[in-house]
Amino acid sequence: MNIGILTGGGDCPGLNAVIRAVVKRGLQLGHEFTGIKEGWRGLLDQKTVKLARGSVSGLLPLGGTILGTSRTNPFKNEKDAEKLLRNIDELKLDALVCIGGDDTLSVASKLHDRGIKTVGVPKTIDNDLSGTDFTFGFDTAVSIVTWALDRLHSTTEAHQRVMVVEVMGRHAGWIAVYGGLAGGADVILIPEQPFDVDEVCGYIKKRREAGKYFSLVVAAEGAYPKEAPGMITKEKELDAFGHVRLGGVGEFLAGEIEKRLNVESRFVVLGHLQRGGTPTAYDRVLATRFGLKAIEMLDAGVFGRMVALQGNKIVDVSLHEATSKLKTVDLEMLRTAQIFFG
Ligand code: F6P
C-alpha cells in the first residue's frame, strides 16, 4: 500500500518517534510512504514528501515533527472536505496514518465514514483523549513542569513569596495534577473543579501560620474561579476547530492573592516550553509502540480505529469513541492531590 502519514494540531514530543516506527516497520512489511506536510492543510495543498528509510533515521530523540503541523480543519466546509477526498485519490494514497489529538482524529474518523482507510495515533501533551490511559507527550510535559517547580521552589522560598505556575492542558487538568504532585505544589487548580479564591488564600495562610512563608500554586490554564465562571482567555477569536486561546489565570490569581493576603506574589506561564524539545524515555517507548501497532493494524486491514494504551497493553479503540468525549481528571485523582494542599 502507499500509506500517507501526517501530524496535526499542536506539536508534541514523540511525533517523530511515531513516524520512525511506522515507516521502519512498514517498509519491512512491503509498504511505501508519502509524508503529508503541515497536517490537513498539506493534504488540501498536496504538499507531500516521499519517506524512505533514510528519511527516518536519527528521529527518535527529535522534538517537533519533521512533517510540520497545522490546526486546519478540512471539514469546516464541504468544499474543502471534497477537495481532501479528491486529493487522496489523486495522490494515490491507499490508507492514512493520522497522528493527532481529538481535532485531527475527529477528521480521521469522518474520513473513515466516507470510505477512507484511516488509523489514528493519540498525540497530545494534554492527555485528554478517551480510550487510552495515556497519550505520548504527556510524560515529557509533566517532567518539564516538575523540573520548573523544583527550580521555582528555591527562589520562592528565598523571597518568602507565593508563586503561581500556569500550565497547559486546555479543558483538562492532567498536566497540573501530575506535574503539581511530582513537584510538591501546595495547591493545584484544575478546570474540572472551579476554585474559590478565598479557599486558595486559606491554604496559603495555613502554611504561613505553620511557619512556611512561601507557597507554590499550580494552575491549569483552563482553571477558573467559582465567582466568575468561564475560562480565562487571551482573545475571543476561535480557531478552525472552535477553540479559544486560554491564558491569564496565573496572572489573575497572583494579583488576587497579593491583594487579599498582602503577600508578595509572582506568576510564571510555562507555555510552549512544555511542548518543546526531546521526548522522555517513557514517551519514546510509548510513541514507538503506538507507531508499530498503527502500521500493523493497517497491514492487517483494520481501519477506523485508534491505537491506545490500556494498562500496559497496546490495544485499539474506535476513532469515533475516542473523539466523542474528552477524558478529564477523575475525582479520585483530585482527592489524592488535595491531601497535600496547604
Ligand atoms: O493541545 C495542546 C496545547 O498545548 C494546549 O495545552 C494549549 O492550550 C494549546 O495547545 C496551545 O496551542 P497553540 O500552540 O496554538 O498556542
Side-chain angles (χ1 to χ4, degrees), residues 12-15 17-18 60 125 134-143 278-290:
C12 168
L15 284 168
V18 179
L60 197 55
I125 63 164
F134 291 103
T135 51
F136 71 85
F138 172 65
D139 183 69
T140 307
V142 169
S143 304
T278 192
T280 57
Y282 179 89
D283 278 337
R284 293 180 199 191
V285 173
L286 185 60
T288 300
R289 292 178 79 198
F290 276 169

Side-chain angles (χ1 to χ4, degrees), residues 75 85 88 93-96 107-118 303-304:
F75 279 93
L85 289 162
I88 292 172
L93 299 173
D94 300 306
L96 289 177
V107 174
S109 180
K110 285 184 186 134
L111 282 176
H112 177 253
D113 292 342
R114 296 199 186 192
I116 305 297
K117 296 169 176 163
T118 58
F303 313 117

Side-chain angles (χ1 to χ4, degrees), residues 10 71 124-126 168-170 175 221 245-246 272 275:
R71 292 199 189 273
T124 168
I125 63 164
D126 302 341
M168 281 187 168
R170 210 161 246 168
I175 299 177
E221 61 181 358
R245 213 172 126 211
L246 297 173
H272 295 81
R275 274 190 1 210

Side-chain angles (χ1 to χ4, degrees), residues 297-313:
M297 277 160 62
L298 281 187
D299 190 63
V302 179
F303 313 117
R305 318 253 327 148
M306 181 189 87
V307 305
L309 178 76
Q310 289 180 2
N312 195 28
K313 295 260 178 303

